[in-house]
Amino acid sequence: MTVNRVPSITLNDGNTIPQLGFGVFQVEPQDTAKAVSEALENGYRHIDTAEMYGNEKEVGEAIRNSGLDRGDLFVTSKLNNGFHEPEDARAAFEETLADLGMDYVDLFLIHWPLPTRYGGDYVSTWKTLEEFQREGRARSIGVSNFQPDHLDRLAAETDTTPAVNQIESHPYFTNDAVRDYCRERGIAVEAWSPIAQGGVLEDSTISGIADRVGKTPAQVVLRWHIQRGNIVFPKSTTPSRIEQNFDLFDFELESGDLEAILALDQGEDGRTGPHPDTFDYVPG
Ligand code: NDP
């Protein structure tokens, strides 16, 4: 087991987060406990879920059944899109904690800014997350899919800088303008869909590097993120991939390889998810 080899990143509030974790987006509830148990057995200690994923209960179940100390785990969840009004956010957060079966999360995020909804008011939502942190029920708080102008507004109108911004980032869409903005302001960058849901693994530049260093394309891309300082939590329900994605710490990419992967960036054409400025999905 290589649990101790995962580097920790210190967040701007002094808390630390394991740089490599396990994501459970699009893992069906009935498959979630098994996948998370498999990840924990392989040494993962950081789990990224969300109310929107519908599997917080099963994440909590796997963690309880693991016998691990809660203090040795880092659990992130996110506020669902329909609940940005402060009262709704409080109720949704209660439900997240109840579903996880925990009295705190390590990190709680606003999942999407939804600037075209709620009169563009993600500021009062953020102030509600500040309450959760003051109460000790969210050790760290952050955002997801926030663009620089959204972050500028939080900086101007609130007292707390988000600890993280979780954004789409992978070799075909590095999203470096947002990434650089965050890093300059002490906001840690979490890269979602780090292997573009598999979409970058057939790339000949990536497979060429993989063949040369004796690793898989997924390991090369995940290692690239790690060396760039991104926090990542690849998703898989395949045991051999769960194991493989955790095995990133016995090799290093040369600077030429890092640059060759960076050069694959396609800008906006490489984006796989919605644009945060226009995404306005609210469940049911
Ligand atoms: P990933 O980039 O992690 O890719 C997951 C896909 O790649 C799955 O289809 C998986 O297949 C496959 N895969 C995983 N490992 C390998 C491997 N070693 N070799 C080949 N294929 C592999 O996509 P996600 O979108 O899941 O992103 C990761 C996490 O980021 C999410 O789970 C979630 O926690 C977070 N996220 C956050 C978002 C946000 O808005 N904040 C949006 C999207 C994701 P299989 O499972 O069949 O093995």
Side-chain angles (χ1 to χ4, degrees), residues 22-26 48-49 53 78 111-112 144-145 166 191-198 201 216 218-219 233-238 241 244-245:
F22 186 69
V24 294
F25 176 44
Q26 292 173 331
D48 185 273
T49 184
Y53 304 165
K78 315 184 191 88
H111 207 146
W112 289 88
S144 180
N145 301 301
Q166 184 175 127
W192 63 251
S193 294
I195 57 172
Q197 300 201 335
L201 303 182
T216 68
Q219 288 173 315
F233 22 82
K235 170 267 175 186
S236 179
T237 48
T238 312
R241 291 173 175 173
Q244 179 193 124
N245 294 347

Side-chain angles (χ1 to χ4, degrees), residues 129-141:
L129 266 65
E130 290 180 319
E131 283 173 21
F132 303 157
Q133 187 175 36
R134 278 197 296 276
E135 295 159 356
R137 297 192 299 158
R139 297 267 164 101
S140 295
I141 53 173

Side-chain angles (χ1 to χ4, degrees), residues 17 23 27-28 31 41 43 57 65 69 109 154 163-164 178 185 198 210:
I17 181 170
V27 181
E28 293 299 328
D31 301 329
E41 277 162 27
K57 275 189 186 145
N65 291 342
D69 285 342
L109 309 179
L154 293 189
V164 312
V178 179
R185 288 159 182 79

Side-chain angles (χ1 to χ4, degrees), residues 65-82:
N65 291 342
S66 72
L68 292 164
D69 285 342
R70 174 68 184 90
D72 291 335
L73 290 160
F74 192 101
V75 179
T76 300
S77 194
K78 315 184 191 88
L79 181 69
N80 207 345
N81 285 354

Side-chain angles (χ1 to χ4, degrees), residues 188-245:
V189 173
E190 299 193 323
W192 63 251
S193 294
I195 57 172
Q197 300 201 335
V200 295
L201 303 182
E202 305 285 312
D203 188 281
S204 60
T205 299
I206 291 167
S207 54
I209 296 170
D211 287 347
R212 180 157 46 73
V213 301
K215 290 284 176 180
T216 68
Q219 288 173 315
V220 165
V221 175
L222 293 169
R223 180 72 208 181
W224 173 79
H225 281 287
I226 295 284
Q227 287 183 222
R228 302 193 85 208
N230 293 342
I231 298 162
V232 280
F233 22 82
K235 170 267 175 186
S236 179
T237 48
T238 312
S240 60
R241 291 173 175 173
I242 294 174
E243 185 179 354
Q244 179 193 124
N245 294 347

